Amino acid sequence: MIRALLYLRGYSLLNLLRTRAQRLRQPKYLLGLGAGILYFWFFFFRHLPGGAGLDRGSGVDPLQFIFAAFAVLGLIRIGSAWLAPTPRPSLDFSEAEIAFLFPAPATRRQLVHFKLVGTQITILLSALILTVLTQRGAALGGNAVTHAIGWWLMLSLAHLHNLGAAFTVARLVEGGMSRARRQLIVGGVIFAVIAGIAWGAWTSAPDATAWMSAWQEQNTGDRLGTAVLAAYVREVSGTGIIGWLLLPFRVALAPFFAPDVAAFLRALGPALLLLAAHYFWVMRNAVSFEEASIAAAEKRALLVAKLQAGQRPLSTGAPKPRKPPFPLRPGGGWPEIAFLWKNLLSTHPWLGPRALGPATLVTLALASLVSPRLWFIPIIAAVYFVLLGPQLARQDLRTDLVNADLLKSYPLPGWRIVLGQLLAPTAILSGLLWLALLALFVTSGRTNSAPAWLTVEFRLSGLVCLALLIPPVCLLQLLVPNAGAVLFPSWAMAGRQTRGGGGIEVMGQRLIFVAGQMLVLLAAVLPAGGFAVLAGFAASLAYSPAAAFLTGSAMFLLALAAEIAAGIYWLGHRFEQFDLSAESVK
Amino acid sequence: MIEVEGLTKRYGDFTAVSQLSFTVRPGEVLGLVGPNGAGKTSTLRSVAGIIPPNGGSIRIAGIDLVADPVEAKRRLAFFPDEPRLFEYLTVSQHLAFVARIYGVTDHDELAAPLLEELELANKADALPGELSRGMKQKLAIACGLLHSPAVMFFDEPLTGLDPLGIRRMKDSILRRAREGCTIVLSSHLLHLLEEVCSHVLILKQGTKIADGTIAEVSAQFANGETDVSLEEIFMRATGGSES
């Protein structure tokens, strides 16, 4: 049986790799792979030994904080595995695995083995990625191989421990132990361990101040004292009763933190023994996991279906009916308004038009009360909305691409559908930017150190002009990713795939996509900006800075409007020709 | 009325539908049948104006679909195999949205009886997530019927419905046909098609194998036998295989 399971694992992996290799024949995936590899090389691999790495000398090592955070999270995870385990232990089987393997003549032990082998593939990949990530600037000692094995050991132990804890708790529950009694015993053990550590630190730890001073005399350069603190913690954790209480953790971590190969080999034996002990513990305690695994697989399948249907994957529970953002009259022309209404209805009510009044009052109050020295905060917010807003506000064609057939059956030309779809995110982003602009206007009026040219007239004309410019700029920005979704639907849909759809090439595709968006946006804004500057300059010579603002803005608005109109019309035509099924058969 | 002449649909090098011609008159129900990959869905999506054909002409209620798609679409309704609904719109909000899109000014007078007829009146404020598969199908139908289309396309309309739902769907299709609608539907459930369709069109590898009333097509493949079922006709016409 185990040979059949290994066959399934092996060939699934092989076929996955083969499929990935085959799709590289499509230029979009090949380009994506190139971009993905370049990204990884630029951000990670070039820092590996031999590359132009960061300074590995003394000083603040941020990885010590990261490791400390990992250690704390790991301890919390282990504690929660005992104190608050899942009601029924489950293993991560897919629906197909359940359909084929659960009715098959396989023992429970064989199924656990199958899952453990499958998990090892994930753990090995994770260990590899973590090794690459933690090579940056870490003064850890050892080398990439010892770190990779160290990570593999730590991740494997964590996985086996959680599984063993879940099985053991389930076995205790099956044996009649109540939840309260179990928590009392486990809580008591954890309390005893913590008390033992505290007692050990109190009685046998060296004096912290003296020890750190002595350490700093020998090791210079640790300006913030992080290394000395870490060294002190290492010293304390290895002495007296604390050393014994933390022995399993020390054994598990020792290979990773070994300073050289000899120390690594010495640490490897005990760590492997600990791993073997965990394995036997898991196999000995394996209890019924089938029912919970089926439920977990169904939940995962639902999540995948939601992702593929373009729905919110992280929504907790079923959505609730919402009050429409405004009354929608059935007739009256302008069917685009129906799309605005529908898409606003699909988002949070606090992003709708009813929230604009209260939000304006709150903004005015805040801008009037806070220190005028904080005038830059609205600018930071505005930059954030401009740069990231179009990626976050997706109540448009990107979300509705799965309903393309339905949209195309409506008696509307493509440009009206596109325009309608763009209205909701444009309204949301415009509202947010207007609030930021209002806040900037109020705070800039309260500062005492304003330059002479920043008159009330100038600020008012600036407020009006920028307020008028915001919606078309948002519309233009949103046009670009929506055009991307129609022109390259498989790229836009890639984010909805979870099994077998990802990979470096898909990540690279997204990078190219975002870079393309920025370029197109720049190409659209630059000519309009050029017109605006020329017209504004001429007006400033003839009249005043405020007039320059008005004239420049008007020119910018006109140029943008022409570009947007052309863009929407063109995209509408492409949407009429769009066929998602043709994309999926390639 | 639907008039299709020389319809061709290609995906890259692959020809899904080749030189297909047929006519469906008001009151007729045409059953589009064929093995998997025969081009049924591509045909339906092309004649409903969802995907552009590569060749041929399509006229919906006398209007050229390629030349004037907006006017042609005002007269048709397309019902996909899987009801496509908006997750955050309630049943009544779906109808309000569709009314605005199609410019149905008397929406209130039409929507209420439609919901009553489709037994959705007590679910008016429910979201699609709260509806069963059959109810979702009904909501999609209600949305499609709101603008009183003259031509209807159903892609696998009976998929996922329970026996009662199948019966009601059949009755609904037959009633619309009696009222003068032109209907095309595709399905693999041949015995059910036999009960609903007045005409049948058999496709294989994108080309037409047979077209006509069920009696005419039966006669073509019956080899002199009587009481030959549509299933048997289908097997004989297609050779019992996909390729």
Side-chain angles (χ1 to χ4, degrees), chain A residues 306 311-312 319-324 328-335 337-339 341-342 345-346 400 402-403 405-413 576-582 585, chain B residues 9 11 45 48-52 69-71 73-74 76 78 80 84-90 92-94 96-108 125-127 129-130:
Chain A
K306 273 192 151 191
Q311 297 169 1
R312 290 190 312 168
K320 290 178 181 162
R322 289 174 178 158
K323 196 176 172 187
L328 183 72
R329 285 191 297 123
W334 294 102
I337 301 298
F339 288 98
W341 179 84
K342 171 184 84 68
L345 194 54
S346 75
D400 252 352
V402 286
N403 292 320
D405 278 7
L406 181 66
L407 301 178
K408 291 180 74 181
S409 71
Y410 293 151
L412 299 173
E576 287 168 4
Q577 306 297 315
F578 173 71
D579 183 3
L580 196 58
S581 62
V585 297
Chain B
K9 178 65 195 171
Y11 298 102
R45 284 153 55 92
I50 290 166
I51 53 174
V70 172
E71 275 311 304
K73 284 177 186 177
R74 282 193 201 287
L76 67 83
F78 175 73
R84 291 282 181 199
L85 301 167
F86 299 107
E87 191 187 4
Y88 286 95
L89 262 57
T90 63
S92 58
Q93 286 168 347
H94 265 92
F97 173 71
V98 170
R100 178 74 180 225
I101 295 288
Y102 283 86
V104 183
T105 46
D106 52 349
H107 148 256
D108 288 337
D125 295 323
L127 288 168
E130 302 166 57

Side-chain angles (χ1 to χ4, degrees), chain B residues 23 28 30 42 45 51 55 58 71 73 88 106 145 157 171 199 202:
Chain B
T23 302
E28 291 180 355
L30 174 73
S42 290
R45 284 153 55 92
I51 53 174
I58 302 158
E71 275 311 304
K73 284 177 186 177
Y88 286 95
D106 52 349
L145 295 178
D171 292 346
H199 292 66
I202 303 177

Side-chain angles (χ1 to χ4, degrees), chain A residues 141-461:
Chain A
N143 57 44
V145 176
T146 62
H147 289 163
I149 297 172
W151 275 119
W152 170 76
L153 270 168
M154 286 192 283
L155 295 173
S156 297
L157 273 167
H159 175 247
L160 282 175
H161 189 88
N162 284 333
L163 198 56
F167 282 159
T168 305
V169 170
R171 192 169 275 268
L172 290 174
V173 172
E174 277 179 12
M177 182 182 277
S178 69
R179 182 192 168 110
R181 195 172 162 210
R182 186 192 77 232
Q183 288 183 333
L184 193 69
I185 292 171
V186 174
V189 170
I190 291 174
F191 177 78
V193 170
I194 293 171
I197 291 171
W199 184 75
W202 183 259
T203 55
S204 57
D207 177 65
T209 313
W211 192 92
M212 287 187 192
S213 300
W215 191 90
Q216 274 182 320
E217 281 175 19
Q218 295 169 6
N219 305 274
T220 54
D222 181 32
R223 291 186 301 275
L224 293 182
T226 53
V228 64
L229 190 63
Y232 181 72
V233 170
R234 271 202 300 273
E235 172 74 16
V236 172
S237 64
T239 55
I241 191 170
I242 303 176
W244 285 105
L245 286 171
L246 296 179
L247 184 64
F249 295 99
R250 290 164 62 82
V251 168
L253 299 177
F256 182 82
F257 286 102
D260 51 49
V261 175
F264 170 78
L265 290 174
R266 279 198 302 276
L268 192 59
L272 286 174
L273 275 177
L274 188 65
L275 190 70
H278 268 82
Y279 165 76
F280 285 113
W281 174 45
V282 166
M283 297 314 295
R284 191 178 163 76
N285 284 285
V287 289
S288 170
F289 55 80
E290 291 84 352
E291 204 177 324
S293 296
I294 291 169
E298 283 170 354
K299 205 172 169 183
R300 271 196 309 279
L302 190 67
L303 184 76
V304 172
K306 273 192 151 191
L307 272 167
Q308 288 173 341
Q311 297 169 1
R312 290 190 312 168
L314 299 177
S315 57
T316 51
K320 290 178 181 162
R322 289 174 178 158
K323 196 176 172 187
F326 53 85
L328 183 72
R329 285 191 297 123
W334 294 102
E336 295 87 346
I337 301 298
F339 288 98
L340 171 68
W341 179 84
K342 171 184 84 68
N343 290 340
L344 283 178
L345 194 54
S346 75
T347 192
H348 301 285
W350 51 267
L351 288 172
R354 286 199 181 90
L356 198 59
T360 305
L361 291 177
V362 171
T363 305
L364 278 174
L366 281 174
S368 308
L369 292 173
V370 298
S371 166
R373 283 181 298 177
L374 298 177
W375 59 270
F376 58 88
I377 289 180
I379 295 180
I380 293 173
V383 170
Y384 175 82
F385 294 142
V386 168
L387 291 181
L388 292 181
Q391 299 302 322
L392 300 176
R394 298 170 71 92
Q395 298 84 356
D396 49 31
L397 264 183
R398 288 170 288 178
T399 304
D400 252 352
L401 211 58
V402 286
N403 292 320
D405 278 7
L406 181 66
L407 301 178
K408 291 180 74 181
S409 71
Y410 293 151
L412 299 173
W415 69 266
R416 297 195 81 153
I417 295 176
V418 170
L419 177 62
Q421 289 283 9
L422 290 173
L423 288 180
T426 301
I428 291 168
L429 291 179
S430 298
L432 292 170
L433 281 165
W434 280 335
L435 292 176
L437 188 64
L438 186 66
L440 180 65
F441 177 77
V442 175
T443 46
S444 65
R446 291 173 57 219
T447 179
N448 296 324
S449 56
W453 54 265
L454 196 62
T455 59
V456 176
E457 292 80 15
F458 187 87
R459 285 171 45 242
L460 260 178
S461 64

Side-chain angles (χ1 to χ4, degrees), chain A residues 546-570:
Chain A
F549 223 152
L550 284 169
T551 314
S553 301
M555 288 304 293
F556 192 69
L557 203 60
L558 276 175
L560 270 190
E563 286 175 349
I564 289 167
I568 288 176
Y569 187 78
W570 169 79

Side-chain angles (χ1 to χ4, degrees), chain B residues 33-52:
Chain B
V33 297
N36 289 331
K40 301 186 295 294
T41 299
S42 290
T43 302
L44 275 183
R45 284 153 55 92
S46 295
V47 295
I50 290 166
I51 53 174

